[in-house]
Amino acid sequence: MNNQALQKVLIIGAGHNDIGREGQHDAAVTQIGAAIRKLGIAVVLVDNNAFSVAAENRFADKVYLEPLTVGSLTKIIAAEQPDGLIPALGGIHAVNLIQGLIRNNVLKNNHVRLLQWDQDTVDMIVNPALMSNRLKAIGEPVIASQVVASEAEAFAVIRKVGFPVIVKSVAPRIEASRQLCEDETDLQRALAMGFKVSATKQCIVEQSIVGYKELEFVGVRDQKDTALLISGMENFDPVGIHSADSIVFAPTQTITDQEYQQFRTATLRIMRRLRIVGACHVQFALDPATQDYFVIKVTPYFDRTMALAARATGYPVARIVANLIVGISLAEVKLPANYRKQTALIEPVLDHIVCRIPVWPFNVLKKVSHQLDTVTESTGSVIGVGRSTEEALLKGLRSTDESRYHVIANRPQNYSEGELIQRLIHPQAGRMLILLEALNRGYQIDELSELTKIDAFYFYKLRHIIEIEQALRERPFDVHALGRAKYFGFTDEDAADAWHSDIHKVHQFALENEIQATFKEIEPTAGEFTEQTNTYYSTYEFDNESQQQSGRRVVVIGTGANRIGTNHGNDYLVSQLLFYLKKADYQPVLVNANPNSVAMTPQLAAKRYVEPKQYSDILNVLAVEKPLLIFSTYHDYRLGQQLSKAGYHVIQINNNLPREQIKTNDSPAVEVITDGVDVAIFGISEIIAGNNLRSNVRGSLEVFPIRDKVENQAIKALHAEIKRRVLAFGVPGLYTLRLTIVDGQLQLATIEPMSIATMALISKASGSSVTRLLLHVKLGEALPKVMYDYPDVNQLKPVYVQANTFPYNQLQIYDDEEVTGEPGHATGTVIAHGETLKDALAALEAGNEDTDF
Amino acid sequence: MADRYLILEDGSAYLGEGFGSPAVSTGEIVFNTSMTGYQEIITNQIYHNQIIAFTQPTIGSYGINHDSYESILPTVKGVVVRDVASISTNRQRRWSLDQYLKQQNIPGISHIDTRHLAKQLRASGPMKASIVDVADAHAFDQLNATVLTNQQVAAVATPKPFPNPGTGLNVVVVDFGLKHGILRELSKRACNVTVLPYTATMEEIINLDPDGVILSTGPGKPQDLPASVVEMIQKIQNRVPLFAIGLGHELFALANGAQIMKLSPEHHGANHPIREVITNQIIYASQGQGFAVDPSTIDRNKLITTFVDLIDGTIQGLRLRDFPAFSVQFFPDGAPGPTEARDVFDEFVESMQQARGPIW
């Protein structure tokens, strides 16, 4: 490849967040865009994700907030004439678009090189049957499968291989899941869904390997064919539960060196034979009885597992891949001074254990099946990091928030034996509690392992957790019992609960007895070399490695897992906050356990703690950092209150109140900022019903700015009242004042803190971040100083519209009562613009052909 | 489980919990960063008289497998871990690590801050250490008074020849404390193998009419072996294809005039990039070395450097210019570790075939 010619590259973003698309793509774009720009190559980014961090803050040279369609990309490519296209950052949707660009000769006609992959790799990613054939040709074992275009063909396959089978869609237009079919009914349903989302109206029917161990390996390779393994990971749950819905451990916990090397070799061989440049994720199924394996899936684009590999190892995957993409070899990669010179070439080794735990939307979407199977249902995940399997697991569970107090207290003790066995065989979300309860009732480990196909190793660990907990209960305020419990991942809260005591008393008792958290660095060499990743986790050992961050330290509490509805924009807010805190010469220290979070991008915070957000976990961090300030978001309101009470200066930044369902079609609002003395108006937004867009639309859209004369004049008239109402609120910040029409007159109705969605909308419309403004007024600066260079939004030409996206199709919810489109169900937000509202709406619709608004 | 201590010759002590044998033992402590393959590492004779600290936090999670031994009897002096796993045993894995160490009279100690220990050893280099019940002055006196043997090869190498029959090329393996992986790789290539004690003379070897000779891996410092070993190598390397691994590589270098130096920090793991000089390819291989060939002492008219560790530039492979004799410092058989270096066994087989001439 002639690297000299590479002066400008195009990145296709992933679009709005969704199930399976949590932020890891935007995190990759953020890092890779920045790294490529540093190498002197211009970066053009196309995305329509309203919460894209990469699309703000100059992580790219030029950003197009345009629909992610072949048509719009064709225009952008014609206008920009990039030299290369980076295909691996936008998920499967981007791969589909690239296939369209190739088929329409757009790349060829504009002399754009496809970087990282051969063109036929694009076809293989989109069509698993092609991938399967290629893998077979290079000698990798794959599962027997066949492409079918009708039910009759599918049943012909069944006659040969028998049930159970897995059905997946060919060339799905969305991140479609594999469906396990045990009988005819399952098969018919899976085929109907598969044909519907398939661009070619085809499905693949394949032999089932349910119950095998599932392993995930991630490697990197450069153009000179140097390849190495970044991480080998193991699913706690067997094949049959989608890996996104499975608990995953890094490194592998139960496989032998022979098995591990078999997968390492296969991963690197696949990358070499497919000539993949960059990172690649390969999933395997292992028959534990015979060591035989199958390759399940090859994913050469960024996904949640690559994000996990990066977070788990501390290996700077994105930065290194950025170099590989533009033709630099692993041996030539220059990393920042905090890494050792050859770090890109060292195969990462871990001296800690990472446990990723999914988070499900079932508390919000009641009618969705809680059964865990081959369909992804989790909306996000968290990681627990520790020095033992127990500690990693307990910290992970704690980070999900589901088991806020502790795993034992929430156990389903009232289940009958029958119910328990049903739940063991047919796992549902929150199964860890079921497994613990079964052990507590005396089920034998080997029996449970046989029943669940989960390796017995884990049941010994779970039994150990129960033993520690029992010892804790039996010995109130016993130093050794507490020390032991904490050593294996329990907290002051757990002890307080076991001892029927108070967290503060337990915390004090622990401190008096020198049971104190120590922090260890997450770095890729297991202590063999000095690496400074500035990323730490807690454990209870001898040596503490985390020293207080120098400078004006502030601790920022991250958002945790991506959830449905209320917090899907929070990570954007936190990322922006970190960025502008650094700009303002603060040293932001992030506490976050979400491996897919953009906020975890190394450039954003000065230092990171991968920790749960339970009160005592945060106290441990604060004991080291002693920050000037703590920032928390609305999601952690209670925690913020507790920390304030403990004497810390906490700024609870913004909020993310779910917007009320707006009944009227047009509901204008005034968007303002105040420092507590002055009030400045950004402009008028309006929420309009979306049901004139598509037949099944239920959600509402937000438009900004509204330049309707009547409304603007009304605001002028209301100016004094707006100021009075906002100042009466008393707290510096961003606010939304809703207007209603009474007797034909616009009047102020309600005032509420501005939603993150509105912040993103105004930021993108103005090309300048309102998070920055929010931060500065929160820090006590005067409005004129903060706003001095902020553009007058009303002078800007285009109209921006924003809409929520919903996971109904993915979750297979077709029930009209549940498909309401209320903001609480949203997983993502898309943005579009146009000269007029009509143009903007057309762009919005064009970009989201497969999404329900 | 009982409280026990790991004490080090610099006076530091770590409190932990005993597992395996309750014996008190003393050895040189080294840390290993491999993430899998504890059984292979514990049974590798290069760790004779050493205590191994694993940085991978959970050890023992897949028990002891009947096909993962690298020697019949392990001779390590101790195993140091953060956490030792309980497991269910079955046909493939009859023993847990705990049971196995009990049988072999090897003490283990868990609940150790192995990350801190690794960082300490990285700075200090290997030290004498003991696993004891009480960390008092007496224990430290005992530790300091202990003189570790330098006759490690004599302790672990076979005293008598034994065969590993095959139907192909005839290979003599000179045993300095060999790793089973070497025999496994030769078996895969159908070689007919005779393993000889390290004291074998050139005549004894030649009398077996070998197509090639392997100098095996083994423990300790190469200079501690009798001069006759080096003389044997000098005579044999000009007569039949020779392949030397690990300690064998160090002896091969000595036999060709190079010096051996102490390596600090040592290499115990499987993740260093190693560059093959001729192809410029980068491979990964299992390493366990406390010594290295001093590059400044290499006679370039005689030896070619074939592999280099990219982390610290240490020589990882040598070749004679004029004869089919070559060596690698790393363990090309893996076990544990990456398998991509196994090609060098093919190279050895090719050199034997060439030396032998056409078979027909």
Side-chain angles (χ1 to χ4, degrees):
Chain A
M1 193 186 282
N2 179 6
N3 297 315
Q4 258 42 54
L6 212 54
Q7 286 170 3
K8 189 194 274 188
V9 293
L10 178 70
I11 296 176
I12 303 175
H16 62 87
N17 285 4
D18 203 345
I19 284 187
R21 234 176 27 212
E22 299 169 36
Q24 67 269 36
H25 300 100
D26 199 44
V29 173
T30 306
Q31 295 174 70
I32 288 175
I36 290 180
R37 288 188 72 203
K38 273 220 175 90
L39 294 167
I41 297 165
V43 174
V44 178
L45 170 66
V46 188
D47 205 343
N48 64 354
N49 176 6
F51 292 133
S52 167
V53 176
E56 289 183 38
N57 311 337
R58 309 200 50 75
F59 284 106
D61 294 84
K62 192 156 184 188
V63 176
Y64 284 87
L65 289 175
E66 295 293 339
L68 291 173
T69 60
V70 173
S72 109
L73 289 169
T74 305
K75 278 185 213 148
I76 292 165
I77 288 171
E80 287 289 336
Q81 292 293 310
D83 309 303
L85 171 61
I86 299 177
L89 310 184
I92 186 69
H93 188 54
V95 181
N96 277 308
L97 293 170
I98 290 163
Q99 192 181 41
L101 293 173
I102 292 170
R103 290 202 175 146
N104 294 352
N105 289 322
V106 177
L107 298 190
K108 200 169 132 202
N109 295 344
N110 291 282
H111 311 286
V112 182
R113 281 195 325 242
L114 178 65
L115 304 173
Q116 300 189 269
W117 306 336
D118 292 345
Q119 292 203 353
D120 66 348
T121 303
V122 175
D123 295 326
M124 284 191 286
I125 295 166
V126 173
N127 185 344
L130 293 178
M131 180 65 87
S132 211
N133 288 340
R134 173 65 81 86
L135 290 172
K136 225 183 284 173
I138 66 174
E140 285 299 332
V142 290
I143 303 153
S145 69
Q146 200 164 334
V147 177
V148 299
S150 68
E151 255 187 37
E153 285 177 40
F155 279 105
V157 177
I158 298 294
R159 278 193 286 279
K160 269 186 267 166
V161 302
F163 284 109
V165 291
I166 300 279
V167 172
K168 52 190 183 183
S169 174
V170 175
R173 291 187 312 258
I174 59 172
E175 187 84 40
S177 292
R178 304 146 51 82
Q179 310 261 346
L180 174 66
C181 306
E182 307 259 10
D183 55 32
E184 286 176 27
T185 323
D186 288 354
L187 182 65
Q188 280 162 342
R189 197 172 51 219
L191 289 169
M193 168 77 181
F195 291 142
K196 186 179 156 197
V197 301
S198 166
T200 60
K201 302 289 166 219
Q202 288 172 312
C203 283
I204 292 170
V205 178
E206 71 184 24
Q207 155 201 358
S208 165
I209 44 165
V210 166
Y212 280 35
K213 272 189 194 180
E214 189 161 355
L215 287 309
E216 308 195 54
F217 278 61
V218 174
V220 283
R221 175 181 172 271
D222 67 19
Q223 281 180 33
K224 290 186 175 163
D225 214 20
T226 298
L228 61 90
L229 190 77
I230 302 173
S231 185
M233 289 155 278
E234 175 173 325
N235 288 11
F236 170 88
D237 301 290
V239 173
I241 294 177
H242 193 287
S243 66
D245 283 354
S246 178
I247 289 174
V248 179
F249 283 93
T252 59
Q253 300 287 294
T254 70
I255 62 170
T256 65
D257 181 64
Q258 291 175 26
E259 291 164 338
Y260 184 92
Q261 298 306 336
Q262 176 175 275
F263 296 132
R264 179 187 177 277
T265 303
T267 304
L268 302 188
R269 182 166 60 220
I270 289 167
M271 292 187 77
R272 288 189 162 117
R273 297 299 291 274
L274 301 185
R275 307 201 307 162
I276 290 160
V277 171
C280 183
H281 162 209
V282 185
Q283 276 159 276
F284 298 97
L286 172 71
D287 181 348
T290 62
Q291 271 196 21
D292 289 340
Y293 75 91
F294 293 109
V295 178
I296 307 177
K297 193 178 179 191
V298 177
T299 310
Y301 53 86
F302 268 81
D303 67 359
R304 77 180 79 76
T305 305
M306 284 189 202
L308 177 63
R311 296 291 158 256
T313 59
Y315 183 85
V317 179
R319 185 177 272 274
I320 287 169
V321 166
N323 281 268
L324 307 187
I325 287 172
V326 300
I328 294 168
S329 72
L330 282 160
E332 296 161 342
V333 170
K334 286 189 185 66
L335 291 173
N338 50 327
Y339 290 100
R340 209 189 136 85
K341 203 175 136 212
Q342 308 93 336
T343 295
L345 272 177
I346 299 176
E347 276 206 354
V349 285
L350 306 188
D351 57 8
H352 53 266
I353 293 169
V354 178
C355 172
R356 187 187 72 192
I357 301 185
V359 169
W360 289 278
F362 303 140
N363 55 340
V364 178
L365 294 167
K366 309 281 186 214
K367 293 197 175 163
V368 77
S369 155
H370 292 199
Q371 209 76 36
L372 298 185
D373 47 31
T374 48
V375 180
T376 327
E377 291 178 328
S378 59
T379 56
S381 57
V382 285
I383 50 176
V385 188
R387 287 267 294 154
S388 62
T389 313
E390 295 90 326
E391 188 177 33
L393 179 65
L394 286 175
K395 286 177 79 179
L397 286 171
R398 198 148 79 232
S399 298
T400 64
D401 284 1
E402 310 291 5
S403 48
R404 192 138 209 143
Y405 289 104
H406 64 98
V407 289
I408 314 291
N410 292 336
R411 268 202 330 257
Q413 288 166 351
N414 54 348
Y415 273 39
S416 71
E417 281 324 286
E419 280 173 314
L420 197 68
I421 289 174
Q422 275 309 307
R423 290 286 294 269
L424 285 169
I425 300 171
H426 302 291
Q428 299 195 357
R431 77 184 309 204
M432 197 56 77
L433 300 173
I434 303 285
L435 300 176
L436 285 163
E437 177 61 15
L439 281 168
N440 203 43
R441 289 191 195 180
Y443 282 72
Q444 293 303 299
I445 282 177
D446 291 340
E447 174 185 33
L448 283 172
S449 176
E450 181 55 41
L451 211 56
T452 58
K453 308 289 179 203
I454 294 169
D455 196 288
F457 165 83
Y458 296 108
F459 287 105
Y460 285 99
K461 293 294 181 193
L462 294 180
R463 195 174 68 184
H464 190 211
I465 287 172
I466 289 179
E467 286 164 3
I468 294 166
E469 216 260 354
Q470 277 164 356
L472 196 63
R473 273 183 201 289
E474 286 160 14
R475 291 150 63 188
F477 288 92
D478 177 299
V479 179
H480 293 288
L482 182 64
R484 180 128 191 130
K486 287 198 159 197
Y487 188 64
F488 282 101
F490 287 83
T491 61
D492 292 335
E493 283 88 347
D494 294 323
D497 192 80
W499 298 345
H500 306 292
S501 181
D502 167 41
I503 158 85
H504 298 282
K505 272 187 204 145
V506 175
H507 192 68
Q508 199 52 38
F509 175 75
L511 290 185
E512 281 161 12
N513 289 285
E514 291 178 5
I515 303 173
Q516 230 168 334
T518 52
F519 292 92
K520 305 259 183 211
E521 191 186 359
I522 299 177
E523 53 84 17
T525 71
E528 187 181 357
F529 304 111
T530 310
E531 307 270 2
Q532 283 154 349
T533 61
N534 278 343
T535 307
Y536 296 86
Y537 66 97
S538 70
T539 185
Y540 286 80
E541 281 194 310
F542 174 69
D543 182 36
N544 175 47
E545 299 178 3
S546 178
Q547 306 307 323
Q548 194 172 81
Q549 176 69 35
S550 60
R552 300 200 293 165
R553 292 174 304 286
V554 295
V555 164
V556 179
I557 314 246
T559 47
N562 282 40
R563 283 168 194 286
I564 193 164
T566 55
N567 89 333
H568 77 270
N570 251 357
D571 189 44
Y572 160 81
L573 177 67
V574 171
S575 303
Q576 292 271 344
L577 206 55
L578 294 171
F579 184 85
Y580 289 108
L581 276 166
K582 231 180 183 179
K583 286 249 146 141
D585 206 25
Y586 284 88
Q587 299 294 319
V589 174
L590 175 70
V591 184
N592 197 10
N594 178 355
N596 297 313
S597 163
V598 183
M600 294 294 272
T601 301
Q603 297 97 315
L604 288 174
K607 188 173 183 179
R608 283 155 297 280
Y609 286 93
V610 183
E611 289 290 289
K613 290 193 290 184
Q614 209 168 47
Y615 179 59
S616 66
D617 293 302
I618 300 292
L619 285 186
N620 291 339
V621 171
L622 298 178
V624 175
E625 295 297 342
K626 301 187 175 63
L628 297 172
L629 289 171
I630 299 168
F631 285 92
S632 75
T633 59
Y634 186 77
H635 191 67
D636 296 306
Y637 181 77
R638 264 192 64 237
L639 175 66
Q641 296 294 103
Q642 276 175 297
L643 294 172
S644 286
K645 231 187 250 171
Y648 289 97
H649 185 184
V650 182
I651 297 182
Q652 298 220 311
I653 201 129
N654 200 280
N655 59 84
N656 198 9
L657 299 167
R659 193 188 310 275
E660 280 171 52
Q661 190 79 354
I662 303 299
K663 300 281 181 270
T664 55
N665 256 10
D666 304 319
S667 171
V670 189
E671 308 294 352
V672 304
I673 180 170
T674 178
D675 59 358
V677 178
D678 277 328
V679 176
I681 295 175
F682 293 111
I684 298 176
S685 70
E686 189 163 278
I687 291 180
I688 59 175
N691 44 4
N692 48 348
L693 277 174
R694 277 164 62 104
S695 58
N696 62 344
V697 163
R698 315 208 175 228
S700 49
L701 311 174
E702 190 173 9
V703 187
F704 184 88
I706 296 288
R707 279 191 291 268
D708 188 287
K709 270 199 185 125
V710 182
E711 279 155 353
N712 283 288
Q713 273 165 10
I715 284 183
K716 266 186 197 139
L718 289 168
H719 205 280
E721 200 192 340
I722 290 171
K723 190 169 171 180
R724 190 180 54 74
R725 288 279 296 269
V726 171
L727 292 180
F729 216 79
V731 187
L734 303 167
Y735 295 95
T736 296
L737 293 93
R738 300 218 168 280
L739 302 168
T740 51
I741 301 166
V742 178
D743 300 333
Q745 291 283 318
L746 274 175
Q747 286 190 4
L748 292 181
T750 57
I751 176 165
E752 61 198 46
M754 192 187 289
S755 74
I756 298 173
T758 306
M759 288 172 66
L761 179 61
I762 300 176
S763 297
K764 271 155 181 125
S766 64
S768 188
S769 172
V770 298
T771 310
R772 176 173 66 86
L773 309 182
L774 174 64
L775 173 66
H776 285 270
V777 295
K778 288 281 188 193
L779 289 171
E781 285 171 33
L783 207 50
K785 190 185 158 208
V786 172
M787 293 286 285
Y788 77 98
D789 65 345
Y790 204 81
D792 180 352
V793 182
N794 289 301
Q795 299 303 311
L796 301 172
K797 257 272 170 234
V799 175
Y800 282 75
V801 292
Q802 206 164 263
N804 284 333
T805 60
F806 298 93
Y808 302 129
N809 270 352
Q810 287 245 310
L811 294 173
Q812 303 180 8
I813 305 173
Y814 306 113
D815 183 327
D816 274 357
E817 274 175 48
E818 184 109 312
V819 183
T820 55
E822 62 192 87
H825 291 178
T827 48
T829 306
V830 285
I831 192 163
H833 60 88
E835 285 298 303
T836 64
L837 179 58
K838 205 176 148 205
D839 293 345
L841 290 175
L844 189 69
E845 199 169 24
N848 298 282
E849 284 154 352
D850 352 288
T851 319
D852 283 338
F853 288 106
Chain B
M1 278 178 237
D3 280 358
R4 300 203 82 191
Y5 290 87
L6 171 72
I7 60 171
L8 273 60
E9 94 185 272
D10 68 358
S12 50
Y14 290 80
L15 171 64
E17 283 186 9
F19 68 99
S21 161
V24 168
S25 78
T26 300
E28 189 183 61
I29 187 164
V30 296
F31 73 96
N32 191 305
T33 63
S34 296
M35 291 205 294
T36 48
Y38 55 84
Q39 183 184 346
E40 292 89 335
I41 293 164
I42 289 168
T43 57
N44 188 341
Q45 301 287 15
I46 69 156
Y47 291 118
H48 173 72
N49 255 6
Q50 292 191 316
I51 294 174
I52 305 169
F54 288 97
T55 58
Q56 154 82 358
T58 304
I59 296 295
S61 59
Y62 45 85
I64 296 295
N65 290 262
H66 60 65
D67 57 354
S68 301
Y69 292 108
E70 286 304 298
S71 67
I72 298 169
L73 293 175
T75 56
V76 295
K77 287 291 186 179
V79 175
V80 180
V81 302
R82 166 62 168 80
D83 179 45
V84 61
S86 307
I87 57 141
S88 294
T89 50
N90 58 32
R91 217 187 121 268
Q92 273 102 21
R93 45 193 72 157
R94 178 86 30 108
W95 316 111
S96 72
L97 178 61
D98 178 49
Q99 289 168 324
Y100 179 70
L101 293 184
K102 279 194 175 84
Q103 286 165 21
Q104 303 298 332
N105 201 32
I106 296 166
I109 186 165
S110 66
H111 295 61
I112 299 293
D113 187 342
T114 46
R115 177 169 171 84
H116 181 257
L117 178 62
K119 285 165 67 189
Q120 184 183 355
L121 293 173
R122 172 178 93 196
S124 69
M127 279 190 272
K128 275 192 297 181
S130 294
I131 296 173
V132 295
D133 296 327
V134 188
D136 56 8
H138 175 70
F140 279 102
D141 288 347
Q142 289 267 313
L143 171 62
N144 292 329
T146 305
V147 178
L148 296 171
T149 175
N150 64 357
Q151 299 300 304
Q152 288 154 285
V153 172
V156 298
T158 181
K160 278 190 196 164
F162 64 89
N164 187 25
T167 55
L169 292 159
N170 193 27
V171 176
V172 165
V173 175
V174 182
D175 178 16
F176 297 96
L178 103 108
K179 201 172 169 299
H180 283 179
I182 296 172
L183 296 181
R184 228 176 267 131
E185 291 306 312
L186 293 173
S187 289
K188 275 187 214 159
R189 290 161 181 80
C191 296
N192 181 50
V193 175
T194 310
V195 181
L196 295 183
Y198 73 100
T199 49
T201 62
M202 187 269 280
E203 288 76 16
E204 283 165 350
I205 295 169
I206 294 300
N207 287 348
L208 288 168
D209 191 19
D211 294 311
V213 173
I214 285 186
L215 306 177
S216 86
T217 53
K221 187 175 172 185
Q223 293 95 322
D224 290 339
L225 286 164
S228 57
V229 171
V230 166
E231 284 158 22
M232 174 275 285
I233 297 169
Q234 284 164 340
K235 287 181 209 155
I236 212 106
Q237 67 183 11
N238 302 346
R239 300 188 57 162
V240 284
L242 179 89
F243 176 30
I245 306 169
L247 178 63
H249 155 85
E250 292 158 16
L251 291 165
F252 173 68
L254 279 178
N256 289 289
Q259 298 294 307
I260 300 298
M261 59 183 190
K262 188 90 189 82
L263 180 63
S264 186
E266 302 197 341
H267 298 178
H268 297 281
N271 67 336
H272 284 201
I274 298 167
R275 184 168 65 91
E276 185 175 21
V277 177
I278 189 166
T279 59
N280 236 342
Q281 254 190 359
I282 293 167
I283 61 164
Y284 294 84
S286 188
Q287 292 178 315
Q289 60 175 124
F291 298 91
V293 178
D294 181 348
S296 66
T297 61
I298 285 186
D299 179 354
R300 289 174 191 282
N301 293 321
K302 205 168 176 189
L303 286 170
I304 303 167
T305 300
T306 53
F307 288 96
V308 177
D309 185 310
L310 289 178
I311 300 297
D312 58 7
T314 50
I315 290 171
Q316 294 291 318
L318 291 169
R319 172 183 288 280
L320 278 188
R321 269 187 195 282
D322 301 327
F323 292 97
F326 64 100
S327 64
V328 290
Q329 178 79 64
F330 53 83
F331 303 144
D333 53 301
T339 55
E340 60 217 42
R342 286 183 186 163
D343 294 357
V344 293
F345 282 98
D346 295 326
E347 220 175 299
F348 176 55
V349 167
E350 276 163 35
S351 69
M352 288 190 286
Q353 282 162 345
Q354 275 169 17
R356 205 182 190 200
I359 299 165
W360 53 86

